């Protein structure tokens, strides 16, 4: 299984990192070895001095699909959650400067936190979802899918023209503004529409 991730999908986050706004969705993939097992602490890897949290809405694919039309995209996922796309920002900056792929900065072991799944039926009729990330008791990121540059169904259609989506694949839909560094002993809490879907300790 794979994690298909979207970069630069919220205007305010593009501005905070002074990135260019893309003309089409920016995609990258994390390997399944990046998934942090539930109940495990996140260990800051020794190759980075600047690991950032990026809280994102997650979507679980429930059947195989290729060249999915936007109007059918809703039939290809069955659950939502919130997770973290951990990013070694210093390493990513060095790779970006050389025009090299980001994999090492985003695909390392433990770099993907996946919260508990909530069936999409729980949100029937909602056209936008909100999520938050708290760090040490303070909200540091607030996401609202209504502010995404590309909405979910467009993203699924676009991704599936390059990558066959398979049952169990997970989409990371991009992070809103407020990304920041983690330090040893930080405590992170992710929530979707007010329901806590993960808690996480950071170790140094
Ligand atoms: Zn991200």
């Amino acid at each position: 299984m794979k994690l298909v991730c979207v970069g630069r999908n919220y205007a305010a986050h593009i501005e905070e990192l002074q990135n260019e706004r893309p003309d089409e969705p920016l995609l990258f993939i994390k390997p399944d070895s990046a998934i942090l097992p539930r109940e495990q602490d996140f260990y800051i890897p020794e190759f980075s001095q600047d690991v950032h949290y990026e809280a994102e809405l997650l979507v679980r694919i429930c059947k195989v699909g290729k060249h999915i039309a936007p109007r059918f995209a809703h039939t290809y996922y069955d659950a939502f959650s919130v997770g973290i796309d951990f990013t070694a920002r210093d390493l990513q900056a060095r790779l970006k400067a050389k025009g090299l792929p980001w994999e090492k900065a985003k695909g390392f072991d433990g770099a993907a936190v996946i919260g508990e799944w909530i069936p999409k039926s729980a949100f029937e009729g909602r056209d936008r979802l909100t999520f938050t990330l708290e760090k040490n008791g303070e909200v540091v990121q607030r996401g609202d899918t209504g502010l995404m540059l590309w909405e979910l169904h467009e993203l699924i259609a676009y991704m599936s023209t390059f990558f066959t989506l398979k049952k169990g694949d997970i989409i990371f839909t991009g992070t809103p503004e407020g990304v920041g560094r983690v330090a040893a002993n930080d405590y992170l809490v992710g929530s979707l529409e007010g329901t806590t879907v993960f808690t996480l300790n950071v170790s140094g």
Side-chain angles (χ1 to χ4, degrees), residues 43 69 81 93 117 127 132 142 144 190 193:
Y43 281 86
S81 191
W117 293 106
D127 57 0
T132 57
R142 286 178 200 283
D144 175 343
E193 289 290 339

Side-chain angles (χ1 to χ4, degrees), residues 60-71:
R60 186 175 68 189
I61 298 296
C62 61
K63 65 179 180 185
V64 69
K66 173 86 178 158
H67 292 298
I68 299 166
R71 69 184 186 282

Side-chain angles (χ1 to χ4, degrees), residues 114-165:
I114 294 166
E116 299 280 345
W117 293 106
I118 301 179
K120 75 171 180 190
S121 56
F123 306 110
E124 208 69 68
R126 306 281 295 274
D127 57 0
R128 56 209 288 182
L129 296 175
T130 61
F131 57 97
T132 57
L133 181 72
E134 282 177 39
K135 187 175 96 164
N136 305 328
E138 184 192 334
V139 175
V140 288
Q141 285 194 282
R142 286 178 200 283
D144 175 343
T145 60
L147 299 175
M148 297 197 306
L149 298 182
W150 285 281
E151 58 86 27
L152 180 59
H153 296 170
E154 289 176 289
L155 287 174
I156 288 174
Y158 182 80
M159 288 172 179
S160 72
T161 64
F162 299 94
F163 310 119
T164 296
L165 295 176

